[in-house]
Amino acid sequence: PCKHMHGHSYVLDITLSGEPMDRPGDPKNGMVMDFADLKTIVKRCVVDHYDHALVLHESERSTIDLDHPLFGRTRFTSWQPTCENLLLDMVARIRAELPQVSSLSHARLRETATSWAEWEGGS
């Protein structure tokens, strides 16, 4: 069934690791990273790029009419757009934007309630 055009409502879970800040008096004291800052990074790097987008392998570029409004948010990739590969791309995008005081240690991309891909730091 997945060879035909279809969509998913993905859920991305990520886990950061790092040392909590030790800055008494700072409102962010005790945080590895403020969740609001993390949310901003994920929105910019992942949600803004993929939300409501059709993700296709670049070999399929000639099969669609890019001037048609239905294909206005098409993203072409050099890799097969599986859940696993989407997750690897999302991990790379997020890791590139994280401050050096924290690191991405785990990520899970849920395609459905019973299907997901996971990534562990260093993988």
Side-chain angles (χ1 to χ4, degrees):
C2 289
K3 70 180 178 179
H4 303 290
M5 190 181 304
H6 66 287
H8 294 282
S9 293
Y10 290 97
V11 175
L12 177 64
D13 298 313
I14 61 174
T15 304
L16 296 181
S17 60
E19 290 295 319
M21 292 180 215
D22 184 17
R23 293 187 217 150
D26 187 318
K28 296 184 181 187
N29 186 45
M31 296 180 188
V32 172
M33 182 177 190
D34 188 323
F35 287 140
D37 296 338
L38 179 59
K39 185 176 180 179
T40 298
I41 291 171
V42 172
K43 182 180 181 317
R44 183 177 64 246
C45 296
V46 177
V47 177
D48 290 350
H49 183 74
Y50 283 117
D51 190 37
H52 288 88
L54 173 63
V55 184
L56 298 173
H57 187 272
E58 60 193 16
S59 66
E60 299 183 73
R61 186 180 298 269
S62 64
T63 65
I64 64 170
D65 178 5
L66 290 174
D67 294 326
H68 192 286
L70 181 64
F71 301 111
R73 286 202 36 90
T74 303
R75 302 286 183 247
F76 291 98
T77 65
S78 60
W79 35 266
Q80 185 66 17
T82 61
C83 183
E84 297 87 344
N85 285 335
L86 284 165
L87 178 58
L88 290 175
D89 183 68
M90 292 174 188
V91 163
R93 290 170 179 275
I94 293 167
R95 287 175 85 187
E97 297 295 321
L98 286 176
Q100 290 185 352
V101 295
S102 62
S103 63
L104 187 59
S105 60
H106 181 262
R108 175 186 295 154
L109 184 61
R110 293 181 183 275
E111 186 174 88
T112 68
T114 59
S115 302
W116 62 85
E118 289 189 270
W119 173 89
E120 293 288 333
S123 303

